[in-house]
Amino acid sequence: MQNYFVGVDLGTGSAKAVAVNADGKTVAVAQHHYPTNNPKPGYSEQDAERIWQAFVKCIAQITAQLKAAPAAISFSSAMHSIMPVDEHGSAMADAMLWSDSRSADIALRIKASTDGEDLYRHTGTAIYAMSPLCKLVWMRENTGALFKQAHKFISVKEYIWFKLFGVFEVDYSIASATGMFDILELKWYNKALDLAGINSAKLSAPVNTDHTRYLASTGILPGVNTPTAFIIGASDGCCANLGGNAVRPGVGALTIGTSGAVRVGGSAPVYNYGAMTFNYLLNADTFISGGAVNNGGAAVNWLLKDFLKIDNITEEAYQTLFNQLSTVRPGSEGLVFLPYLYGERAPVWDAKSSGAFININFKHQQQHFLRAALEGICFALNDVLLAVESAESRVTELVISGGFISSPIWVQLLADITGKKLVLLQSEDASAIGAIYLAMQALGLDIKQIVNNEAAHKDVIEPNAAAHALYGKIYPIYKKLYSDIRLSVHQLYDLNN
């Protein structure tokens, strides 16, 4: 059997499998997409069976290409999904995703209660519409019969795991993002369960992220036989930190894909109730703390397709458009963008927030709006970074990943706004690589040499001092703008929803 390992990232828009050999070199990649359903405003759902089929296709493609079964398959997954299933593991409704905001008012109610901070400090999860805790309260109050009939409430990854092994198990990492798991005691938190209206029997059994199982028979997955080890793995954010070697002191990880996030690793949680920094588990001993924003590449896609009406963006056209940004000075000649198009998570935590261009005048052209959009996204992530730093030691280096790394201008903007040294270790999916590292460790392999080899080939981007000084003057203005218009934004939201 060829000695290779597969990391599968179950993302918001696709399942992606990355195969590496024993030396850590990528030998195959497969990716299959699936849609998100938005039947009503605020609803964001997916058919779990389509995610399973995408996963199966990824594994079939990898094993067919490499003509052997892998030594191990490990999982990374998007957080905060939840759905009701019956005793056979069959979905009784589509999975509610992290971006589903229908429980926004419930989150506000919980956050304002006397139990709000206690729930945050025990579970490490921000009290927001993304939280499965809030989603379960919404289900209980709005889908009474379905809520009562459900055998269990599980995430997308748990659905895949049950299809493989017929058991309901959840890794500590995904559990720590539910708002119902005690991250210090490593068990379901009864106060949160009482609030949701369930007991622990309605949830999967928590296990560590190195938990390993083997298929009971062949034929379940194409090209995979019973000796292949399956490691349950962790969440996408936690895996990305491990995959990018960003679990060291002073080193953070920053990802911009559809959304974005800033994360640091440590042996203890980083609490900041005002900003509600999250504290998720990479394993039983390692916390990944930080904050996520809703608006990354999604805001740029809106700008290009819906605002600027650029329907067909080829790779060449995309690069030409971004290259025009170099003609615009830092600060976009006073144009500021609040990138809250899809509501916002950290540190604003406002599902009713919306985007805005501020200080528009006759000088501003297409390239100004695009540069201001990128600057706004970077300001939002800098906002999260400063919230993490306010409660923890200073971050001096950021390991970056996600689709934005293909744009040198965007990467330089991020360096200039944060003032941090940016490190690009590898171009493949950091979450899938992190899942592979978990698999290797679970099988008793030492990953130090592989990580060191990756670090030796890193690309470093340094901030421009003059640009950073200018952005340092703009950032406080950006920071204050949303609080200035928040009441008006809420009034308009209520009028139109």
Side-chain angles (χ1 to χ4, degrees), residues 53-65:
Q53 293 298 333
F55 160 66
V56 171
K57 290 176 183 176
C58 283
I59 298 302
Q61 187 174 331
I62 293 285
T63 55
Q65 180 178 341

Side-chain angles (χ1 to χ4, degrees), residues 420-435:
K420 308 297 184 187
K421 178 175 73 174
L422 306 184
V423 175
L424 176 60
L425 288 180
Q426 43 80 25
S427 59
E428 290 296 346
D429 188 272
S431 296
I433 296 297

